[in-house]
Amino acid sequence: MDWSFSRRGLLHGAAVVGGAAVAGIVDRASVSAAPLDRLRQKPGWVVGKLTGAQAVAESLRQECVGCVFGIPGAQENELWDEFKARGVPYLLVAHEFAAACMADGAARATGRPGVLCVVPGPGVTNALTGLGEALLDSSPIVAIVGDVANGDKYRPFQVHSLDTVALLKPVTKCVYPVADVRQIPGAVRQAFRTAAAGEPGPVAVVIPFNLLIDQADFNCPPPADPGLPFDEAAFTKAVALLSDRHRRVGIYAGAGCQDASDQLAAVAELLQAPVATSVSGKGVVSDAHPLAVGWGYGPHASEVAERAFKPDPLHPLRSGVDTLLAIGVKFSEVSTGFYGDPRPRHVVHVDANANNLGKIMAADVCVHADAGLFLGRLLACADSLRRPLDGLLQARIRALKADQNRALCAVPARACGIDPLGLVGALRRQLPEDGLLFTDVTAAEHLAAEYFRVGRPRTYFNPVDNQAMGWSVPAAIGAQRACIGRAVAALVGDGCFLMAMQELSTAAREGLPVKWFILDDHAYHYMQALQKPAYRRTTATVLAKLDYRALAQGFGVGYLEVDRLDALDATVAAAFQTVGPVLVRVATDYGDRKIRWIEAVRERFIVDLTPAQKTRFLTRASMRAVGHQAND
């Protein structure tokens, strides 16, 4: 039986321990049907004579699952019936891609593992993209996946008989295949621990459908807490490096700091260090903090961050950041602008996943540690780390932010619609501080990352590393289901919207009041921005013009539209004041809007080309520039 973790899981030894706990969880010498008073004496345990489906449902109840997203099918009807019988909350989706994205959205918004339940075959393959996004973006998910019959019930050529475990391994931290009904509670509950431990990610439990109707006596305790990683020796080296007060420290924080926001701000103040974040890390420090500088720190990211990390031109004797403290973050392609972050003289890299340390950005010290634990330990070393208040640095950051705010307030009117930066500003003005904003794979995602101010952790979300188009449409629904009473909005390109728009029917049926703002320019503008400079034409980027009003009416959601900048704030405000889900069409005109990420990545791409490749690109572009080329 394969209990091993995939390449992005925890250490192999932890997997073996977890697998052993799962496989050996039943005390066969003492198993008996448990009366109710025995159950009360063992809070958190799964006990009694239960079917496999009842054992799954009871395990989810013990984990206090807020909602299971998915679609029932032949292999799991028994299980879904038990969800209803035992009061396990569930939500029917329109497509299994959305089930994974909704579980992901709920997980990111709450910090607790989201749950989906799908059948094998097409149920699994439809969910793979969403699971892959959760894996690469470090989001904890537990997938309960049915499978074809096993053991003496196995038959060749069963419906949906793809290799479920093999399909799931590349997009999960770990797959627990269940071979015996008695393993079910242990496998399900271990999956929750594994999903949240170390670097979070998706975990799958695969259960053949015949086991759901098998029955056994259970006496299963909750799994042990795996604990938090912490490398004491490496921590000591990090403190020694950071204690040199001649070094100017800058902090680069990622999603691993989402639950350590206060400690992060305190450490920044201790070191008088500007704090930049990855895209996934937006919100781990409030943008209102005097040392917060936005996302990234290279030419692709926030201009405030890039300039704050560099030497101050008004004070030539003051050096820029020469020591980078990277915490709970991966130097991924998107967040580094195609690996364009400059390397300071010294780097300390801290992460809960040892496999992330020192990758892309070479580090002087690699600390395998939980971000919150590391930051707490740094605060305990305050006397050796403390710098005096750096008034010049904070004044410079304040001035840079003021320049950024003026740019946000000076969005030009466009001839054929609204500059998307105008929508970013209107969303920030109208969305409550504790409201949640989901962005999608659109050129405007980079504008939002730079200009949308975030004041709290777990309020800004983006499909960063798998770049799954359409992700935000269902992810926002999952977050709204988990965060009843809070405002939830999604900033979506029209191309992304086409990928998952059927989920508007889910929101309408459930009365979940998500507000979707669709940037409608009838094109894959992102691809056009990448294609046109390189090829002097665009290919396969023009979309159909849709009747969004009729579409919203058909799905049963509210509808608003806006095509003038001077009406934008009022329309956005009206959307949030409208009861129920609302689709807002925003006629969009990018005009000559430059996007730092795209410009910087294009330059990085050119630098990466060989001389022969550069010649070929330039020759082709020159020939097309003087010829007559169709636009698309």
Side-chain angles (χ1 to χ4, degrees):
M1 186 180 303
D2 180 9
W3 294 107
S4 62
F5 284 61
S6 65
R7 59 183 173 82
R8 288 176 50 87
L10 301 175
L11 297 176
H12 178 72
V16 172
V17 171
V22 172
I25 229 164
V26 178
D27 180 1
R28 291 177 176 82
S30 61
V31 164
S32 62
L36 187 58
D37 60 346
R38 179 176 157 201
L39 180 59
R40 288 179 181 142
Q41 292 170 13
K42 292 188 173 183
W45 287 52
V46 175
V47 298
K49 185 178 284 294
L50 304 169
T51 65
Q54 290 170 336
V56 173
E58 189 57 33
S59 297
L60 296 180
R61 275 170 37 86
Q62 294 296 339
E63 294 294 334
C64 301
V65 169
C67 187
V68 178
F69 302 95
I71 303 175
Q75 287 89 355
E76 288 183 341
N77 280 329
E78 180 80 10
L79 179 54
W80 284 77
D81 186 70
E82 286 300 332
F83 289 164
K84 176 173 283 190
R86 292 180 174 256
V88 177
Y90 58 82
L91 191 148
L92 173 66
V93 305
H95 192 279
E96 288 91 350
F97 165 67
C101 296
M102 288 184 194
D104 188 2
R108 297 193 199 202
T110 65
R112 300 187 300 272
V115 182
L116 68 145
C117 184
V118 295
V119 296
V124 170
T125 57
N126 285 343
L128 292 179
T129 298
L131 290 171
E133 190 66 65
L135 177 70
L136 296 183
D137 283 1
S138 311
S139 183
I141 287 179
V142 172
I144 307 298
V145 181
D147 203 2
V148 298
N150 74 340
D152 61 0
K153 300 294 184 182
Y154 172 78
R155 301 287 189 278
F157 317 123
Q158 296 180 64
V159 67
H160 299 339
S161 56
L162 297 177
D163 189 336
T164 303
V165 172
L167 286 168
L168 287 165
K169 279 185 176 181
V171 294
T172 58
K173 287 177 68 174
C174 178
V175 180
Y176 290 133
V178 174
D180 185 290
V181 66
R182 292 166 293 185
Q183 296 171 341
I184 286 176
V188 172
R189 304 202 63 190
Q190 183 65 33
F192 280 84
R193 304 302 180 275
T194 303
E199 180 186 0
V203 175
V205 180
V206 178
I207 308 173
F209 77 86
N210 58 293
L211 300 185
L212 295 174
I213 57 175
D214 281 356
Q215 195 175 58
D217 284 320
F218 295 96
N219 185 27
C220 305
D225 187 336
L228 301 175
F230 194 82
D231 184 336
E232 191 71 45
F235 174 77
T236 300
K237 293 178 182 178
V239 171
L241 193 151
L242 296 171
S243 295
D244 185 345
R245 292 180 175 84
H246 292 99
R247 295 194 172 111
R248 299 187 65 83
V249 180
I251 295 174
Y252 182 43
C257 299
Q258 288 284 10
D259 298 318
S261 183
D262 291 343
Q263 297 99 309
L264 178 65
V267 166
E269 292 160 11
L270 190 68
L271 297 170
Q272 286 298 289
V275 184
T277 75
S278 66
V279 180
S280 297
K282 274 180 70 67
V284 298
V285 64
S286 169
D287 282 328
H289 192 282
L291 291 168
V293 295
W295 86 278
Y297 62 91
H300 61 285
S302 164
E303 186 175 2
V304 176
E306 183 188 22
R307 293 174 64 181
F309 270 54
K310 287 182 174 180
D312 186 344
L314 298 179
H315 300 86
L317 297 180
R318 287 171 58 86
S319 65
V321 165
D322 62 15
T323 301
L324 183 69
L325 176 56
I327 313 174
V329 68
K330 296 177 290 191
F331 290 86
S332 66
E333 180 178 351
V334 173
S335 278
T336 61
F338 193 42
Y339 313 109
D341 277 338
R343 186 189 187 278
R345 182 175 301 172
H346 303 286
V347 175
V348 176
H349 192 183
V350 182
D351 200 83
N353 184 349
N355 292 327
N356 294 337
L357 294 170
K359 299 292 175 64
I360 302 300
M361 184 73 68
D364 299 88
V365 182
C366 292
V367 187
H368 181 209
D370 171 78
L373 185 55
F374 176 87
L375 290 166
R377 289 287 302 276
L378 275 188
L379 291 174
C381 301
D383 290 343
S384 63
L385 297 172
R386 184 175 288 109
R387 270 77 162 166
L389 180 70
D390 192 338
L392 287 175
L393 172 64
Q394 296 196 20
R396 187 180 183 207
I397 292 172
R398 199 160 49 244
L400 291 170
K401 286 180 176 178
D403 289 343
Q404 183 186 63
N405 191 56
R406 280 190 287 273
L408 187 60
C409 296
V411 175
R414 301 290 189 194
C416 300
I418 294 168
D419 187 316
L421 184 57
L423 178 57
V424 170
L427 284 169
R428 180 61 286 170
R429 289 187 291 273
Q430 302 302 329
L431 186 66
E433 191 73 11
D434 70 342
L436 282 61
L437 179 65
F438 285 77
T439 61
D440 217 301
V441 186
T442 166
E445 70 178 301
H446 303 300
L447 295 174
E450 181 168 7
Y451 287 95
F452 188 85
R453 292 182 297 100
V454 181
R456 303 187 185 187
R458 301 194 183 281
T459 58
Y460 181 92
F461 312 95
N462 182 262
V464 179
D465 292 311
N466 203 36
Q467 289 278 281
M469 293 180 66
W471 173 88
S472 70
V473 177
I477 296 175
Q480 185 75 86
R481 177 64 179 76
C483 302
I484 301 297
R486 292 172 67 183
V488 178
L491 175 63
V492 189
D494 47 1
C496 292
F497 181 67
L498 290 172
M499 301 276 186
M501 64 181 180
Q502 67 272 7
E503 296 307 327
L504 268 65
S505 66
T506 302
R509 185 190 69 235
E510 300 294 324
L512 294 169
V514 178
K515 318 303 180 189
W516 292 275
F517 295 86
I518 311 302
L519 295 165
D520 180 24
D521 64 349
H522 326 306
Y524 287 129
H525 180 82
Y526 204 157
M527 284 303 100
Q528 290 182 339
L530 293 174
Q531 288 180 5
K532 196 152 192 178
Y535 304 104
R536 291 296 187 268
R537 66 184 183 188
T538 61
T539 302
T541 62
V542 175
L543 301 173
K545 295 183 179 181
L546 299 183
D547 185 341
Y548 285 93
R549 183 184 300 277
L551 190 149
Q553 183 178 6
F555 279 126
V557 303
Y559 180 74
L560 294 168
E561 64 180 19
V562 58
D563 58 6
R564 298 189 340 268
L565 185 63
D566 60 3
L568 182 57
D569 271 270
T571 304
V572 173
F576 287 117
Q577 292 162 7
T578 301
V579 175
V582 179
L583 172 63
V584 183
R585 173 186 171 264
V586 182
T588 303
D589 183 354
Y590 280 85
D592 58 357
R593 168 66 59 194
K594 297 293 184 184
I595 296 174
R596 282 172 57 85
W597 192 93
I598 293 176
E599 299 300 313
V601 167
R602 182 182 297 120
E603 291 183 13
R604 285 281 303 165
F605 177 77
I606 293 171
V607 169
D608 234 32
L609 295 174
T610 66
Q613 290 169 335
K614 289 178 184 176
T615 299
R616 187 165 66 251
F617 265 83
L618 288 171
T619 301
R620 180 174 58 197
S622 298
M623 292 178 63
R624 288 177 178 172
V626 298
H628 297 285
Q629 296 294 332
N631 250 357
D632 198 305

